[in-house]
Amino acid sequence: MLQDPGKKYSPNKLLNLPDRKWPDRVQQCPPVWCSVDMRDGNQALINPMGASRKRRFFDLLTRMGFKEVEVGFPAASSTDYNYVRELIEEGKIPDDVTVQVMTQARPALIQTTFEALRGVPRAIVHLYNATAPFFRDVVFGVDRKGCIRIATDAARAVKRQMEQYPGSRWTFQYSPETFCFTEPDFGLEICNAVIAEFDPTPENKMILNLPTTVEVSTPNVFADHIEWFCRHIDRRDSLIISVHPHNDRGTAVATAELACLAGAERVEGTLFGNGERTGNVDIMTLALNLYTSGIAPGLDFSDMDTVAREVTHCNQLPVHPRHPYAGELVFTAFSGSHQDAIKKGFAARKADPGGLWEVPYLPVDPADLGRNYEAIIRVNSQSGKGGVAYVLEQHGIVLPRELQIEFSRIVQEETERAGGEISEAQLLDSFSRTYFSDPAPYRLRSLEERKENTKAHITASLETPGNTLMVEGTGDTLQAAFAAGCVKHGLCTEITDIPCNRTKTYGGKEIYSFVKVRSGAHDLFGAGRDRNEARAFVKAVLCAINRGISKALLNSNIVENQ
């Protein structure tokens, strides 16, 4: 890389527009969307779409609500020509959809384009020619007047062809291709010349499509250019101003959004941003940015997984797992602090389910896009107690906070050893192994419960290595009775604050019980499950005691080995 890139690359060229209005505007409605997946997107594919994939893509786009779809470049490709004919002859174009085709400013190509469109109900004919200085001087060898002549001659030819097919409803679109490279005054001059030639009216508007064929400036500079253009172009009431951003600088979405604030009414782009080089503007992201601002975009992404699957099939390109809104991982949190905030956000929303969506780290409700909540929080070594607790809660297991902390440390150790993510099934298995595996040395063989007057009595038969221990106790509740028996027999010092530290949830028909047991100076945690509440509690206490004994034996073995 150069020490002084300014010797090779020029900075953004600014327009003098001190009274710009677009920064103070707020988008109120969606633009007109035109998908160019089947033309601009298709030409960028390693394996371009054949007829079957084109049919599948067209069906997807129209189901989603696109009213304008660029279906190809029929004069440049027999595949595109035949596909356009198939759509028309087989009546595949919905009544509310207008197909768009592209053509260069050459008489023979224009004629072939209209031959492909014979009998079409409605169509946009998209004409373009290169207007930037480099193309004029180096590629085509024409001056400004010559460039204007190419555009106006082609506009005249398009108009004549339209007149030969009065049964179709035509819309004319002109693109000063490489508009972003074109001098502003010349871009205005050539567009005004084409307008004068085609003679649009407020009742029969033409489209001026202004492409950032290659991004060369920051989005604010392009917005200035669009606002300036809209102020100075002739017959503004007879025009639809459209933009066609590419993503070379990674700012195509911002470019389109600011261009709409500056006066653009229409956006051409692709689903998920497929296109030449770094791609076209991503219409899905644009549309859902509006949606999360409270504006209905007019496109249906309520089954995002199906949309992503269909586009992946047709383009034979994957959707990145971190792609906005659509990626597999965009609603997934691994970070412990993120998981905790999301968990609390969902809990708060339960109290006001009809209010504004305010869940940390989730700009949109995944359910609106047909996604479920199961994958929102996933667990790896970066995860904390909130993420672990959230996954367990989806299966009816609500842990007390202190047990959340303990088990999350166990999970973290497992994920660090494995070096990656732990699946939901693995997490549940780890929890079961930690708290519900066959306990040792104390196992519950039988339990007798009875109540006399206001007191509860309990007798538990515990199996120990080579012996049977009968634990008897009396208390205000069955749980307190067993706790008293455990203390009497020296199994633990105390079971502290039972009402606060024992939580039960109902996963199916089983009761889950969680306890904190004091043994000497140490707090031990246990969990138990059973259809009987008292038995679940007894199992939880034994779990805690057994885990404490196991840890003590482990520590003594470590000391001896050292």
Side-chain angles (χ1 to χ4, degrees):
M1 296 181 68
L2 301 176
Q3 293 296 315
D4 182 10
K7 294 179 178 178
K8 188 173 183 179
Y9 304 100
S10 60
N12 294 333
K13 295 179 181 178
L14 304 180
L15 278 174
N16 182 24
L17 196 68
D19 60 339
R20 59 181 61 83
K21 299 292 190 285
W22 63 262
D24 297 323
R25 293 176 183 152
V26 176
Q27 192 78 11
Q28 301 292 334
C29 61
V32 174
W33 306 111
C34 178
S35 162
V36 294
D37 289 272
M38 301 174 68
R39 197 276 306 167
D40 205 345
N42 189 49
Q43 72 185 29
L45 296 177
I46 299 169
N47 298 305
M49 287 182 275
S52 63
R53 280 192 282 153
K54 276 179 169 283
R55 285 193 294 270
R56 191 161 171 173
F57 212 136
F58 184 75
D59 289 344
L60 172 68
L61 294 168
T62 54
R63 288 199 311 272
M64 292 175 62
F66 281 93
K67 304 305 179 188
E68 296 183 2
V69 179
E70 190 167 78
V71 293
F73 199 147
S77 162
S78 60
T79 300
D80 281 10
Y81 185 101
N82 292 334
Y83 178 64
V84 172
R85 291 307 311 152
E86 176 187 311
L87 285 175
I88 297 168
E89 292 172 1
E90 296 183 12
K92 298 286 184 63
I93 304 171
D95 292 341
D96 59 347
V97 173
T98 301
V99 295
Q100 176 172 304
V101 295
M102 192 177 205
T103 180
Q104 292 173 314
R106 298 180 185 176
L109 298 182
I110 292 170
Q111 181 173 343
T112 302
T113 298
F114 276 89
E115 289 172 359
L117 291 171
R118 290 189 320 273
V120 70
R122 295 156 308 282
I124 299 168
V125 178
H126 181 187
L127 173 74
Y128 76 96
N129 71 309
T131 58
F134 181 85
F135 284 89
R136 297 196 311 261
D137 300 339
V138 177
V139 179
F140 297 109
V142 296
D143 57 12
R144 285 190 174 197
K145 288 184 178 179
C147 188
I148 290 173
R149 189 181 312 110
I150 291 171
T152 53
D153 287 351
R156 191 178 309 117
V158 167
K159 190 172 183 178
R160 282 199 302 266
Q161 288 287 337
M162 288 179 175
E163 290 170 350
Q164 293 181 26
Y165 298 96
S168 300
R169 182 175 177 180
W170 301 105
T171 300
F172 176 52
Q173 175 171 316
Y174 174 67
S175 288
E177 209 260 334
T178 60
F179 173 78
C180 53
F181 284 115
T182 302
E183 308 95 317
D185 66 314
F186 182 61
L188 190 71
E189 182 182 1
I190 194 168
C191 286
N192 278 333
V194 171
I195 291 167
E197 186 64 52
F198 191 77
D199 193 26
T201 65
E203 294 73 35
N204 185 27
K205 296 182 179 183
M206 66 172 281
I207 301 169
L208 279 182
N209 188 53
L210 309 176
T212 50
T213 312
V214 180
E215 278 195 309
V216 293
S217 67
T218 52
N220 63 300
V221 173
F222 187 70
D224 280 353
H225 200 164
I226 295 297
E227 182 169 333
W228 181 89
F229 185 90
C230 289
R231 289 186 192 181
H232 293 89
I233 193 70
D234 293 344
R235 300 165 73 167
R236 180 67 182 87
D237 64 346
S238 299
L239 306 174
I240 297 169
I241 302 298
S242 175
V243 291
H244 180 112
H246 279 254
N247 198 43
D248 299 86
R249 294 168 60 97
T251 58
V253 168
T255 294
E257 289 177 328
L258 298 192
C260 287
L261 296 179
E265 305 147 279
R266 181 178 183 269
V267 175
E268 293 189 345
T270 61
L271 293 179
F272 310 124
N274 172 54
E276 295 282 13
R277 304 178 308 282
T278 58
N280 289 54
V281 69
D282 177 6
I283 284 183
M284 182 275 300
T285 299
L286 279 171
L288 290 179
N289 284 354
L290 288 176
Y291 181 81
T292 57
S293 299
I295 299 170
L299 297 175
D300 184 3
F301 291 98
S302 60
D303 189 358
M304 181 64 79
D305 287 344
T306 295
V307 173
R309 185 169 57 249
E310 289 294 288
V311 173
T312 297
H313 171 83
C314 293
N315 285 342
Q316 298 185 0
L317 293 173
V319 174
H320 194 281
R322 296 292 183 188
H323 195 104
Y325 300 108
E328 179 187 358
L329 298 178
V330 296
F331 299 126
T332 300
F334 290 106
S335 162
S337 60
H338 290 202
Q339 293 173 342
D340 188 59
I342 291 171
K343 177 176 176 288
K344 290 174 180 175
F346 276 121
R349 183 158 181 81
K350 287 181 180 179
D352 184 21
L356 291 175
W357 177 257
E358 293 180 333
V359 176
Y361 301 110
L362 294 178
V364 66
D365 185 347
D368 291 357
L369 308 183
R371 304 282 292 270
N372 59 43
Y373 299 119
E374 293 178 3
I376 288 176
I377 291 178
R378 287 163 58 176
V379 178
N380 64 13
S381 61
Q382 303 300 307
S383 305
K385 67 181 188 307
V388 172
Y390 178 87
V391 173
L392 292 176
E393 284 181 17
Q394 307 317 298
H395 296 269
I397 304 172
V398 182
L399 300 183
R401 186 176 185 277
E402 290 173 294
L403 205 144
Q404 290 178 24
I405 295 171
E406 182 192 64
F407 183 57
S408 67
R409 289 173 181 161
I410 294 170
V411 171
Q412 187 173 37
E413 290 172 2
E414 291 188 12
T415 55
E416 287 176 347
R417 284 196 300 269
E421 180 186 357
I422 183 171
S423 71
E424 185 174 315
Q426 289 171 322
L427 180 66
L428 291 168
D429 180 66
S430 175
F431 186 77
S432 182
R433 281 187 284 105
T434 301
Y435 298 105
F436 299 144
S437 59
D438 194 24
Y442 295 105
R443 295 181 175 87
L444 177 64
R445 295 181 59 184
S446 63
L447 185 69
E448 295 181 7
E449 315 165 22
R450 70 181 190 279
K451 289 189 177 182
E452 293 179 1
N453 299 323
T454 60
K455 294 295 183 180
H457 303 273
I458 199 164
T459 301
S461 175
L462 305 183
E463 180 183 340
T464 65
N467 195 9
T468 298
L469 176 64
M470 303 300 292
V471 177
E472 297 178 313
T474 300
D476 293 334
T477 65
L478 291 171
Q479 289 82 6
F482 183 70
C486 287
V487 172
K488 181 175 68 174
H489 285 276
L491 298 178
C492 60
T493 308
E494 63 179 335
I495 300 176
T496 61
D497 201 7
I498 293 172
C500 295
N501 290 286
R502 182 177 57 82
T503 304
K504 62 182 181 182
T505 58
Y506 295 82
K509 296 181 179 179
E510 289 191 311
I511 297 168
Y512 290 78
S513 185
F514 307 108
V515 298
K516 180 170 74 173
V517 173
R518 173 64 59 87
S519 179
H522 302 286
D523 287 333
L524 308 169
F525 299 95
R529 61 182 175 187
D530 197 276
R531 296 190 178 191
N532 176 278
E533 185 174 346
R535 289 177 67 89
F537 176 79
V538 169
K539 289 179 179 180
V541 173
L542 295 180
C543 171
I545 294 170
N546 286 327
R547 292 181 69 233
I549 293 172
S550 176
K551 288 179 181 179
L553 292 175
L554 178 63
N555 290 337
S556 65
N557 289 337
I558 291 173
V559 172
E560 290 174 5
N561 291 334
Q562 290 177 341

